[in-house]
Amino acid sequence: MRKIKYKKGRKLQHITLEYTGTQKEHETEMQLFVYDDADVIEYEKFTVLALNTCIDYTKNNWLNIHGLNDINLLKTVGAHFKLDDFLLADILNTSKRTKLEEQKDILFFNIKSLLPSEYSDNISVEQISFILKDGILISFQEKRSDFFTHIRERLRTHAGIVRTKKVDYLLYLLLDAVMENFYITIEDEEYKIEELINLTKKGADPVILEKIENHRDNFNFLKRSIIPLRDSLYYLKTIKDDDTYNGIEKETFSFFIRLHQKSLELLEQIESDMSSLESASNFYFSEQSRKMNEIMKTLTIISAIFIPLTFIVGVYGMNFEYMPELRARNGYFIVMGGMFLLVITLIIYFKKRRWF
């Protein structure tokens, strides 16, 4: 398994309708909210047969689809809302980067939702797409998740101003909820970086360097995911005076500007965390170099002690016939004592010089 679960999809034609993600075991289901300031109606287990009868264009409609395996169902939904195959192909092809596409009466937005894996250093990725059109917001998720649970509760309980606003404000809330996952992922990465820094202070285990490189890849992946999101949000806030698309009300643009600021904050935080990771990497190599220097110093001291002893042994190992010390009764003990005193002297000298 790759470190990052996000897998590059196969290259498909632009209008090829084939789901390229990894969540192929999830059944396609739909949920519909029809709401205004006065009332909210929730349709769970919504079916395409009820599209004509349950959607009320005099109110706000949020159609949430999770599970993208039923291509025929998605085609039916696309035909009902007059979505071209290019949009459906972008929804199904999860290898596409974050993008924003503005048409005459449609705003298409897809985004990568990132969360840390529970039992590994992986990052789990899910693509979420949004279509804003004529008082209806359609969201497409690869699987059922709890990203938008709090927003559903706000709709049910009339908390906040979501029921008093149009569906463009709901789009802002959904995008904001997805972006919160970036903060969760970055916070999890920061916690793991702190652990790595503490480990590098205890030792220079090669596994630590491998973990550092893994998290460096995670941050690069986060950065690659947020940069196109930042660009899309910047473009979104610039269409305020554009007459081509008017599905977003003027007063709602300020909320999307906040999302753009959040994307800038996320990128700044990632840059800061990557600097911390670089510091951890440098500390690892510094610790490794320090240990190597300690080893070399120890070996050098040992060699310095044994070099004069080797010299003495070499002198008395030449086996000349006329060497006076060879015939001395206490010659062996004298030489051994001298060698011992020489070792002690060298150790004291090295100690005074603080070489160890």
Side-chain angles (χ1 to χ4, degrees):
M1 180 180 293
R2 290 178 55 185
K3 183 184 68 62
I4 294 176
K5 288 185 177 179
Y6 176 61
K7 296 183 178 180
K8 185 177 180 180
R10 296 183 294 106
K11 291 185 177 181
L12 302 174
Q13 295 296 324
H14 295 301
I15 59 174
T16 301
L17 300 183
E18 179 182 344
Y19 174 54
T20 62
T22 59
Q23 309 296 334
K24 298 184 182 295
E25 72 279 4
H26 293 277
E27 181 182 355
T28 302
E29 297 178 348
M30 297 193 298
Q31 179 187 40
L32 175 67
F33 281 88
V34 181
Y35 67 93
D36 59 11
D37 190 20
D39 191 22
V40 60
I41 302 175
E42 179 179 354
Y43 299 92
E44 192 72 33
K45 301 292 183 180
F46 188 71
T47 64
V48 293
L49 299 176
L51 285 172
N52 290 319
T53 58
C54 294
I55 293 180
D56 186 352
Y57 287 98
T58 65
K59 298 181 179 181
N60 299 313
N61 302 269
W62 174 26
L63 177 62
N64 184 51
I65 302 173
H66 45 258
L68 304 180
N69 297 299
D70 193 338
I71 305 299
N72 291 328
L73 184 148
L74 295 178
K75 285 183 178 180
T76 304
V77 172
H80 180 85
F81 294 106
K82 299 179 180 179
L83 307 177
D84 58 44
D85 288 343
F86 290 100
L87 290 181
L88 293 178
D90 285 340
I91 292 169
L92 292 168
N93 191 350
T94 59
S95 65
K96 293 291 187 69
R97 70 193 301 237
T98 295
K99 67 177 290 187
L100 172 70
E101 184 173 338
E102 175 194 1
Q103 297 180 2
K104 185 176 181 180
D105 60 344
I106 291 176
L107 186 70
F108 172 73
F109 202 122
N110 73 357
I111 184 174
K112 297 291 190 278
S113 176
L114 309 183
L115 280 174
S117 296
E118 188 174 357
Y119 301 109
S120 69
D121 291 336
N122 294 350
I123 292 180
S124 298
V125 185
E126 177 186 351
Q127 177 171 283
I128 302 178
S129 303
F130 302 98
I131 291 179
L132 185 64
K133 172 187 167 99
D134 298 332
I136 182 168
L137 176 64
I138 311 174
S139 56
F140 300 85
Q141 299 178 250
E142 293 188 65
K143 58 185 178 66
R144 180 184 287 273
S145 59
D146 56 356
F147 299 156
F148 308 138
T149 301
H150 64 291
I151 298 176
R152 295 186 181 94
E153 287 302 315
R154 290 174 69 174
L155 287 171
R156 294 172 183 133
T157 61
H158 205 332
I161 62 174
V162 58
R163 295 249 300 264
T164 65
K165 295 285 188 179
K166 301 295 184 182
V167 287
D168 55 346
Y169 180 77
L170 178 62
L171 174 61
Y172 154 73
L173 290 179
L174 298 180
L175 289 173
D176 185 60
V178 174
M179 290 185 69
E180 285 300 317
N181 293 339
F182 284 98
Y183 286 100
I184 294 173
T185 304
I186 291 175
E187 183 178 354
D188 181 77
E189 289 293 317
E190 289 174 343
Y191 173 76
K192 292 175 180 177
I193 289 174
E194 290 181 5
E195 290 184 333
L196 286 176
I197 292 175
N198 291 333
L199 287 175
T200 55
K201 295 178 180 178
K202 296 178 181 178
D205 190 340
V207 176
I208 297 175
L209 184 60
E210 181 181 352
K211 287 180 175 292
I212 289 175
E213 293 304 315
N214 287 344
H215 289 293
R216 196 193 310 278
D217 289 342
N218 282 350
F219 277 119
N220 284 326
F221 182 74
L222 280 164
K223 191 174 180 179
R224 291 196 306 271
S225 300
I226 296 174
I227 286 177
L229 173 62
R230 176 204 61 188
D231 296 340
S232 298
L233 290 170
Y234 178 79
Y235 174 77
L236 185 61
K237 76 175 188 176
T238 61
I239 66 174
K240 182 176 181 180
D241 300 321
D242 189 353
D243 295 331
T244 303
Y245 178 76
N246 57 4
I248 298 179
E249 297 184 343
K250 298 291 184 181
E251 61 269 19
T252 309
F253 276 100
S254 60
F255 296 105
F256 290 100
I257 293 174
R258 295 180 189 177
L259 294 182
H260 180 254
Q261 292 297 324
K262 274 191 173 183
S263 67
L264 296 178
E265 292 173 3
L266 286 168
L267 288 173
E268 290 177 358
Q269 187 62 44
I270 288 174
E271 291 295 337
S272 175
D273 291 335
M274 290 187 73
S275 297
S276 299
L277 200 58
E278 188 67 27
S279 298
S281 179
N282 292 336
F283 192 89
Y284 170 86
F285 287 113
S286 297
E287 182 66 16
Q288 199 173 45
S289 298
R290 186 191 66 80
K291 285 196 170 184
M292 183 61 68
N293 291 335
E294 289 292 330
I295 293 172
M296 293 303 298
K297 183 173 68 173
T298 302
L299 294 176
T300 302
I301 291 174
I302 293 173
S303 299
I305 291 174
F306 277 91
I307 285 174
L309 301 182
T310 305
F311 173 76
I312 295 173
V313 171
V315 169
Y316 287 100
M318 290 186 291
N319 294 323
F320 287 113
E321 183 175 355
Y322 300 104
M323 291 183 69
E325 295 87 352
L326 294 178
R327 301 186 181 279
R329 179 179 294 275
N330 297 317
Y332 169 78
F333 300 104
I334 294 172
V335 172
M336 290 299 295
M339 293 171 67
F340 178 76
L341 290 175
L342 179 59
V343 170
I344 297 299
T345 302
L346 289 173
I347 291 175
I348 294 173
Y349 176 77
F350 294 153
K351 195 73 173 177
K352 285 187 176 181
R353 297 297 299 268
R354 296 184 178 179
W355 290 355
F356 68 91

